[in-house]
């Protein structure tokens, strides 16, 4: 592996470990924050829902900037915003302050410091035959961040309180801006690879008319709903069913641990098998696991076993979904096109995080949301099957604008 490629993978992995690791620990703040501010769970759920929404809405813009001016500048901005957002959240005393800081500012920061920016650069540096595995490595780094950071977040909350813990996490987030130095020159590392795919204008036109691209958006919406609902509400769901708070933190950490292997496995399989069929099977398995969770008696073993199994499937969608986008449209505008798919993911995440709190405050139970999540899982399975994943031809202008529907 060329040294420049190895450096980019290393620093990209470190950045995603921090950005996603901190983010995946936010669900642990639900009970201490709502108790401190004397508000219902819907308030905290709405703050994280707004975070997901802002994350998704500006992701295409950050992807476009990354494709145009380089990933390093975007990552520096993302790291600085992340730190500022966490500091502001630590000083929030009202629901509005929480929505603006943890919701708005942190959401903007995540768009500039996570997968779309990093994967766009990696995709241009790696040959198509190894791209799925490379995407799996970066996605697995985010899962390792969840495994490593969630226990740290729980420790900081227990030792220093929720406000001080956010201030300490802000220091870690600021390190993203420093690690971005590892991307120096990465955007120009392989000019030949950068030309593999549609130019930006043609990519927009082609994606807009490509039925498979819209089906991929629909499937990723479901993924966002699943992961946001579980990450935000699963620890509290376990406490509601009689388990200790530490079990909830352990459950989130195990999701991250299992998904390290899940991402590497999905990336490897995606290089050898049809990605759309792998995605369909993945969503079917998620649905069956949720059904089992509702039907089986709740014990620590069941709770942690569910975490390990759902964790294996957690973000395994990312290398497959981004891989289909790269396979159809090429890597030249990958950050931008994947950014729009990720917007759909975050719209689903908004609904999952907010609806979980809303339904619980109204009914005192999460059961209705679990049932909805299962129905959406079956829908996602069906959406992926008819996707036309053949690469678009870009040799001539006529071929660039011809899209198979």
């Amino acid at each position: 592996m060329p040294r420049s490629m190895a450096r980019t993978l290393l620093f990209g992995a470190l950045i995603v470990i921090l950005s996603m690791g901190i983010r995946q620990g936010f669900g642990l703040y639900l009970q201490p924050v709502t108790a401190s501010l004397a508000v219902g769970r819907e308030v905290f759920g709405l703050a994280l829902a707004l975070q997901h929404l802002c994350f998704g809405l500006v992701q295409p813009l950050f992807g476009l900037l990354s494709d145009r001016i380089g990933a390093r500048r975007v990552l520096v901005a993302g790291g600085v915003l992340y730190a500022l957002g966490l500091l502001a959240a630590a000083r929030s005393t009202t629901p509005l302050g929480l929505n603006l800081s943890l919701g708005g500012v942190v959401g903007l920061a995540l768009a500039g410091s996570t997968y779309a920016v990093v994967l766009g650069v990696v995709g241009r540096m790696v040959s198509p035959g190894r791209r799925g595995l490379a995407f799996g490595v970066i996605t697995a780094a985010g899962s390792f961040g969840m495994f490593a950071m969630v226990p740290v977040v729980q420790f900081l909350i227990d030792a220093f309180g929720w406000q001080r813990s956010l201030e300490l996490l802000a220091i870690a987030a600021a390190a993203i801006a420093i690690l971005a130095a590892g991307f120096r020159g990465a955007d120009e590392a392989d000019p030949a690879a950068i030309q593999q795919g549609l130019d930006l204008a043609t990519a927009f036109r082609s994606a807009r008319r490509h039925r498979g691209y819209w089906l991929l958006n629909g499937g990723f919406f479901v993924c966002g709903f699943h992961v946001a609902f579980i990450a935000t509400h699963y620890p509290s769901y376990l406490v509601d069913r009689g388990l200790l708070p530490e079990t909830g933190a352990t459950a989130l950490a195990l999701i991250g641990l299992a998904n390290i292997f899940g991402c590497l496995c999905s990336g490897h399989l995606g290089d050898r098998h049809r990605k759309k069929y792998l995605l369909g099977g993945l969503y079917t398995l998620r649905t069956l696991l949720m059904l089992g969770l509702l039907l089986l008696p709740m014990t620590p073993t069941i709770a942690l076993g569910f975490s390990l199994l759902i964790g294996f499937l957690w973000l395994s969608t990312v290398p497959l979904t981004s891989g289909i986008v790269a396979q159809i449209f090429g890597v030249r505008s990958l950050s931008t096109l994947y950014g729009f798919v990720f917007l759909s993911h975050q719209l689903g995440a908004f609904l999952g995080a907010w609806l979980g709190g809303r339904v619980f405050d109204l009914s005192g139970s999460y059961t209705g949301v679990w049932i909805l999540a299962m129905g959406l899982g079956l829908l996602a399975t069906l959406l992926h099957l008819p996707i036309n994943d053949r690469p678009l031809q870009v040799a001539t202008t006529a071929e660039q604008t011809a899209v198979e529907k």
Side-chain angles (χ1 to χ4, degrees):
M1 178 183 295
R3 182 174 299 179
S4 61
M5 185 186 303
R7 185 183 70 243
T8 300
L9 281 173
L10 173 62
F11 280 88
L14 291 173
I15 287 169
V16 172
I17 285 171
L18 283 176
S19 61
M20 293 301 295
I22 294 171
R23 179 207 178 198
Q24 297 292 1
F26 289 150
L28 301 176
Y29 286 91
L30 188 152
Q31 292 187 335
V33 170
T34 54
S36 176
L37 302 184
V39 295
R41 293 187 184 184
E42 183 184 2
V43 170
F44 186 84
L46 179 59
L48 289 194
L50 289 172
Q51 180 190 108
H52 291 301
L53 184 61
C54 292
F55 188 179
L57 285 174
V58 299
Q59 185 68 86
L61 173 60
F62 276 91
L64 175 62
L65 290 173
S66 179
D67 286 335
R68 288 292 182 89
I69 67 173
R72 183 170 58 89
R73 294 181 178 90
V74 173
L75 290 167
V76 169
V80 172
L81 277 175
Y82 211 153
L84 293 175
L86 291 174
L87 289 173
R91 290 161 174 76
S92 297
T93 58
T94 65
L96 178 60
L98 196 66
N99 289 338
L100 293 176
S101 57
L102 193 62
V105 179
V106 173
L108 294 175
L110 287 166
S113 60
T114 50
Y115 294 122
V117 177
V118 176
L119 291 178
V121 177
V122 171
R124 290 188 285 268
M125 299 186 72
V126 180
S127 64
R130 302 173 64 186
R131 191 172 291 146
L133 182 58
F135 285 175
V137 169
I138 295 298
T139 311
S143 299
F144 177 78
M146 184 177 185
F147 168 70
M149 292 297 297
V150 166
V152 172
V153 172
Q154 184 66 60
F155 169 78
L156 293 176
I157 293 173
D158 292 340
F160 302 104
W162 71 270
Q163 292 168 310
R164 180 61 175 166
S165 69
L166 286 174
E167 294 174 350
L168 295 173
L169 290 176
I171 298 174
I176 294 172
I178 300 173
L179 291 170
F183 275 60
R184 186 182 302 275
D187 297 287
E188 296 80 30
D190 189 352
I194 294 175
Q195 299 306 315
Q196 294 175 5
L198 306 174
D199 62 84
L200 189 58
T202 304
F204 275 127
R205 290 196 302 269
S206 300
R208 188 175 67 247
R209 302 169 185 169
H210 198 288
R211 186 181 67 165
Y213 185 73
W214 290 106
L215 293 173
L216 204 61
N217 273 266
F220 222 31
F221 175 93
V222 176
C223 180
F225 184 96
H226 285 169
V227 299
F229 168 61
I230 293 173
T232 304
H233 297 283
Y234 188 54
S236 295
Y237 171 77
L238 297 181
V239 173
D240 294 338
R241 295 196 60 180
L243 302 185
L244 297 175
E246 290 76 13
T247 304
T250 303
L252 288 183
L254 287 179
I255 289 174
L257 175 63
N259 199 226
I260 296 171
F261 303 99
C263 291
L264 294 174
C265 182
S266 70
H268 176 75
L269 291 175
D271 285 334
R272 289 159 175 77
H273 303 282
R274 297 285 289 276
K275 299 176 182 65
K276 65 175 186 175
Y277 295 137
L278 294 172
L279 282 167
L282 187 151
Y283 285 108
T284 299
L285 289 174
R286 281 190 185 181
T287 302
L288 294 175
L289 287 173
M290 293 178 196
L291 179 62
L293 183 70
L294 289 183
L295 295 179
L296 293 173
M298 180 54 67
T299 66
T301 300
I302 294 295
L304 299 182
F306 174 82
S307 295
L308 285 171
L309 294 173
I310 201 73
F312 190 80
L313 310 171
W314 186 252
L315 293 178
S316 299
T317 56
V318 174
L320 297 173
T321 302
S322 57
I324 291 178
V325 176
Q327 180 175 309
I328 297 173
F329 302 101
V331 297
R332 187 174 180 182
S333 302
L334 177 59
S335 289
T336 306
L337 292 180
Y338 179 69
F340 279 103
V341 178
F342 192 76
L343 169 58
S344 181
H345 183 281
Q346 294 308 100
L347 292 175
F350 173 89
L351 187 62
W354 168 75
L355 193 63
R358 178 64 174 171
V359 169
F360 183 89
D361 285 348
L362 290 175
S363 66
S365 171
Y366 288 115
T367 301
V369 190
W370 284 113
I371 294 173
L372 176 59
M374 288 187 286
L376 290 173
L378 293 177
L379 175 62
T381 297
L382 297 176
L383 287 176
H384 285 92
L385 299 181
I387 291 176
N388 178 3
D389 55 0
R390 288 179 293 175
L392 292 178
Q393 300 300 312
V394 296
T396 67
T397 302
E399 289 173 330
Q400 287 179 352
T401 56
V403 178
E404 305 231 4
K405 297 184 179 181

